[in-house]
Structure formats: structure tokens, C-alpha cells
Amino acid sequence: MSYGRQNGDTVKKGRLFVISGPSGTGKGTICKRLTDIADAKLSVSMTTRAPRPGERDGINYYFVEESRFREVLDAGGFLEHAEVYNCLYGTPKQPVFEHLNAGRDVILEIDIQGALRVRERCPEGVFIFVLPPSMSELRKRIVGRGSETEESVNLRMGETLKEISCIDKYDYCVVNGVLDDAVNRIAAIMTAEHSRVDADVAELLERYRNEEAALQGDAPTKGDR
Ligand code: ADP
Ligand code: 5GP
């Protein structure tokens, strides 16, 4: 699917899309699908939590000991970091800016505390909040994922209503009921963001003017006919 900029013959900075919301709403599932259909780079976070079955180092996360996480933190290597459910998570800064500067869109799938920090540092980012269709479905999804203890499920459910109260700091909200609908809706948001009237459009208009001036220059004058 082509959703990106419309005057793509010059390299522009990519756009930063931040997708967050309570645990279990389906952010990870949505982001995986988005990277299949959209030309965007999904940032790989660093975490101190243990890998779940099937998760791979460097693909799902960089799984590290706390000492290594703190080294990166002290060296200023994170765009943001947060403690989430007793583990540390951080977004490595360098790859994000490298991709943006190379003109690629970047997706961050991070928690709400992290998203609010990114909003301070990168207010030009696009902030999307993923909501569950209902609290009972949310619980079912967290339990169904099979990765949490009962205590951890209750902890995540307990945080949900608090987290949802931050929704007014976001630009968009998307209810993840039917997965395809949620993915298509976010892809549509990405398309819309690339259709904004901004500096890219000014350049496009300048190109039209130059092109038209050149065409006028080429046009035969009356006397030539
Ligand atoms: P998050 O990243 O927000 O914590 P996940 O992507 O891990 O959530 O999704 C939690 C669980 O819900 C997973 O088992 C996933 O397969 C399931 N899930 C995600 N989206 C949907 C959906 N739209 N309908 C049904 N199940 C879903
Ligand atoms: P999980 O352990 O279920 O993969 O993730 C737990 C929570 O941490 C999710 O809400 C997820 O979005 C968030 N998360 C993942 N990576 C990061 C990150 O780099 N920074 C922040 N702040 N949150 C993250």
C-alpha cells in the first residue's frame, strides 16, 4: 500500500507515529500488521523483561540486563524510557532519527508515560491511542495471550482506566475491535498525515510554477508561427 508523501522525488524527513494504549489492547499485533502494509520502520525497544516464548532478541526487543540498560540510559541513548510493570523499557534514539532523516516513517509502539515524553521532545509526531472494544474483551485478550500471571493480569487491568484518562494528549484514537478495521484506520491516519498542507506542498507548488514558466519559455511566440 502506498500511503506516503505525494511528491516523492526528493528526500523529506519521515514522520514519527507513536502508537500506545493500555496493555493487551492489541498494539503489538496492529504494529506488526502495519509494517507489512506500510513503508514504515518499527522501532525495536530495549527492555529488561524476559523474552516470551517465540520472541527474538533484536526483532521483538533488545533483551538486556538492567546494568546494560542503565549504561545506555546514562550515555543518553534513549529517546524516552519508562518503567512498565516492574521492567524497564526504552526507545533507542539513534535509529529513530537515522530513519526519519533518511525520509522513512518510524512507528514507536510504547506505553503512555513514554508517549507523553516523546510528545515533549517531538511535538511534530503523530500520537495514536489504541482502545479496547470493552473491558471484558481486554481481560480476555490479556489472559488469552497466556504470558501473564493472574496477579499481572489484574495489575494491567487496574492500570487501564488510569491510562485511558490520558487520551486527550493524543491526536487520534482507534478502537481495536475487528483487527483489520483498526489496522486500516491507522493506515488511513498515516495517509492523511502525509496529505497535510505543509512545507512539502509549498515545494510542490514551486515546482509547478517553475514547470509552467519553462513551458511558457518553450511556447512559440506569435511571430514564430
Ligand atoms: P499489546 O501489544 O497492546 O499489549 P497484543 O498485540 O499483545 O497487545 O495483543 C494482546 C492479545 O490480543 C494477543 O493475544 C493478540 O493476538 C490479541 N488481539 C489483538 N488484537 C485483536 C483483535 N482485534 N481481536 C482479537 N484479538 C486480538
Ligand atoms: P510488553 O512487556 O507487553 O511487551 O510491553 C509492556 C508495555 O511496554 C506495553 O505497553 C508496550 O507498549 C510498552 N513498551 C514497549 N517498548 C517500550 C519502550 O521502548 N518505551 C516505553 N515507554 N514503553 C514501551
Side-chain angles (χ1 to χ4, degrees):
M1 175 193 266
S2 167
Y3 69 89
R5 61 186 60 82
Q6 301 175 83
N7 50 337
D9 61 349
T10 48
V11 175
K12 304 280 184 245
K13 268 186 92 175
R15 302 228 43 190
L16 181 64
F17 293 94
V18 180
I19 298 188
S20 71
S23 176
T25 46
K27 304 178 296 291
T29 309
I30 290 174
C31 287
K32 163 114 205 10
R33 290 279 292 274
L34 273 176
T35 52
D36 291 341
I37 61 167
D39 183 23
K41 182 83 190 135
L42 180 60
S43 159
V44 179
S45 296
M46 193 172 276
T47 182
T48 60
R49 95 151 156 70
R52 294 180 185 136
E55 284 186 331
R56 287 189 293 153
D57 187 44
I59 305 285
N60 304 92
Y61 282 103
Y62 295 105
F63 295 100
V64 295
E65 297 295 327
E66 184 167 338
S67 55
R68 173 67 188 140
F69 190 97
R70 297 220 174 266
E71 257 174 42
V72 177
L73 179 60
D74 292 344
F78 291 126
L79 173 60
E80 61 73 39
H81 78 284
E83 186 173 329
V84 190
Y85 305 123
N86 306 320
C87 295
L88 295 167
Y89 295 80
T91 303
K93 187 165 66 180
Q94 192 181 337
V96 170
F97 290 114
E98 273 174 11
H99 289 301
L100 291 176
N101 289 332
R104 287 199 78 184
D105 288 345
V106 175
I107 301 173
L108 305 186
E109 189 249 292
I110 60 176
D111 90 314
I112 288 144
Q113 315 165 63
L116 298 183
R117 286 187 191 131
V118 175
R119 174 129 236 173
E120 283 165 20
R121 296 185 76 170
C122 307
E124 71 286 2
V126 180
F127 294 77
I128 304 170
F129 198 101
V130 179
L131 286 165
S134 65
M135 292 300 277
S136 60
E137 174 64 17
L138 178 63
R139 179 176 281 274
K140 221 161 77 185
R141 286 184 191 172
I142 300 176
V143 172
R145 191 165 59 187
S147 56
E148 257 63 56
T149 60
E150 193 184 333
E151 190 192 356
S152 170
V153 172
N154 289 333
L155 175 65
R156 285 165 194 250
M157 290 300 295
E159 285 299 303
T160 297
L161 290 178
K162 266 193 268 169
E163 291 178 328
I164 283 176
S165 69
C166 294
I167 203 160
D168 60 338
K169 309 280 190 316
Y170 285 71
D171 303 306
Y172 296 96
C173 69
V174 172
V175 176
N176 179 23
V178 176
L179 181 61
D180 278 349
D181 292 350
V183 170
N184 289 338
R185 203 170 268 264
I186 294 180
I189 292 168
M190 295 171 87
T191 306
E193 287 293 328
H194 277 288
S195 304
R196 280 192 175 279
V197 176
D198 58 13
D200 285 10
V201 170
E203 281 182 35
L204 187 61
L205 298 190
E206 186 59 20
R207 215 169 71 197
Y208 291 157
R209 283 190 202 100
N210 291 339
E211 191 188 351
E212 180 57 12
L215 287 172
Q216 292 286 342
D218 287 348
T221 55
K222 264 186 187 157
D224 295 336
R225 285 194 196 138

